[in-house]
Amino acid sequence: MQLNLSIPALLFPAISLTMLAYNARYLAIAALIRQLHKQFEETSAQPLKQQIQQLRKRLGIIKNMQATAIISFLLAAITMFLIYVELDIWANVIFGISLVFLVISLVLSLLEVQLSTKALGIQLKSMEK
């Protein structure tokens, strides 16, 4: 496949939007952690401990989601440079690696959504009692 500058450039808006979504998820979790911290200091309830464990896992996943998306973004930029200096074989290899990192980031996002749903289930379960 012959790469030109517009192909890796297509990843820039996609990755940027993905990073915005990841950052929004991070900020929402950070706010929730602060809220739960307040509640936990007042009462050391078991559902709060379970939620805290879930949030810790989710934060780790979000960190990895962001890292892999950033690596994908950097590799797409490097691909554009390699195309510019006419190193086409390396450009193809680096672009392929960039796509792999983007896929990893999206898979991690799926896992984080699954954990998020699980955490909401814990919350609902504690309210049913």
Side-chain angles (χ1 to χ4, degrees):
M1 177 179 153
Q2 183 64 30
L3 279 178
N4 59 39
L5 283 175
S6 63
I7 294 173
L10 289 173
L11 285 184
F12 279 68
I15 295 171
S16 296
L17 289 173
T18 302
M19 289 298 298
L20 281 173
Y22 293 170
N23 200 28
R25 293 193 73 76
Y26 174 79
L27 292 174
I29 289 176
L32 181 59
I33 288 172
R34 288 182 184 96
Q35 178 186 359
L36 286 175
H37 182 264
K38 239 181 189 177
Q39 287 178 2
F40 188 75
E41 285 180 339
E42 295 168 4
T43 66
S44 296
Q46 185 62 29
L48 288 178
K49 289 181 182 179
Q50 291 174 331
Q51 283 183 335
I52 290 168
Q53 290 170 350
Q54 290 292 327
L55 288 171
R56 187 177 307 278
K57 287 180 191 175
R58 289 175 62 194
L59 277 176
I61 291 173
I62 289 174
K63 177 187 73 170
N64 291 328
M65 286 165 36
Q66 290 174 326
T68 54
I70 290 168
I71 291 169
S72 177
F73 194 71
L74 288 171
L75 291 175
I78 291 168
T79 298
M80 292 176 72
F81 175 76
L82 292 172
I83 292 169
Y84 177 74
V85 295
E86 298 179 1
L87 294 172
D88 295 333
I89 293 173
W90 281 106
N92 282 316
V93 170
I94 299 299
F95 185 66
I97 295 169
S98 175
L99 291 176
V100 168
F101 274 97
L102 183 58
V103 168
I104 291 168
S105 179
L106 294 171
V107 168
L108 288 171
S109 179
L110 177 65
L111 291 173
E112 196 277 330
V113 168
Q114 297 297 319
L115 279 176
S116 174
T117 304
K118 195 175 194 179
L120 288 173
I122 292 169
Q123 185 80 26
L124 289 172
K125 191 174 185 178
S126 70
M127 291 185 332
E128 288 175 342
K129 292 180 182 180

